[in-house]
Amino acid sequence: MSLLALSGLTAFYGSSQALFGVDLTVGEGEVVALMGRNGMGKTTTVRAICRMIVSKGGLTFAGRDLHGLPSHAVARLGIGLVPEGRRCFADLTVRENLVAAARPGPWDEARVGDLFPRLAERRGQRARTLSGGEQQMLAIGRALMTNPRLVILDEATEGLAPLVRAEIWAAVARLKIETGMAILVIDKSVRDLARVSDRAVILERGATVWSGGINELTPAISETYVGV
Ligand code: ATP
């Protein structure tokens, strides 16, 4: 059984329909890339999963129907979100940001510091004074502190310099290999996604148009649907 399963998911912003039938699964220990051009519904899908917008259709996590649950209950069930734009508490320190998110489990401040030594070095620093890359590390660390079963990374490396991007991808690879964490990841770089993912799901105009193993994602398919 899949950990996360969406089937025929639809969603609206007011009267404007944004999702027209998203089919997507993430199994235990699986890394799934959610792809598609700008505006095709990736972030809206994430918002629907986290119950930040109303949706209809199949939406289950660990066998539980997520419809009707508030966002904080979805988080408590074990979905850790790293939102687009990071959204750390700017005036809190690194440590305070992490501690505020903490829930019992194997992930604690020390383990996050081991994954991102730069965060450990800056634990007393206010989030607003961190670089973009460090803020993204903090956003990932904060999601891990909730001890999730699934982490969702919306725009994993957006706006980051190549070296920092490589650090983020290395951390994602470590999460996969060392912890077997289930991960749903969105990013502009198909090449980077292909390195860490087991499967890909492609959205076009709010609907799933392709899904398959990462090795089946040919250049022709990515060119058609993702534009690279
Ligand atoms: P991007 O890579 O640009 O973030 P995306 O694939 O994540 O794109 P979404 O942000 O999910 O796409 O947008 C899907 C559709 O929903 C688009 O047509 C977008 O204009 C619309 N949309 C997104 N957010 C809102 C909103 N808050 N209100 C109204 N429409 C929205």
Side-chain angles (χ1 to χ4, degrees), residues 3-4 6 46 49-51 59-62 66 71-82 143 146-152 184:
L3 188 56
L4 176 72
L6 280 58
V46 170
I49 295 167
C50 296
R51 299 282 306 143
L59 176 61
T60 61
F61 180 73
L66 297 185
S71 292
H72 62 84
V74 173
R76 206 170 311 126
L77 281 179
I79 299 184
L81 173 63
V82 182
T146 69
N147 279 287
R149 294 174 71 182
L150 167 77
V151 172
I152 302 179
L184 179 65

Side-chain angles (χ1 to χ4, degrees), residues 13 18 37-44 47 84 155 188:
Y13 288 108
R37 292 195 188 84
N38 287 346
M40 291 303 173
K42 304 180 296 294
T43 295
T44 303
R47 289 191 189 129
E84 195 175 14
E155 298 293 355
K188 298 269 181 300

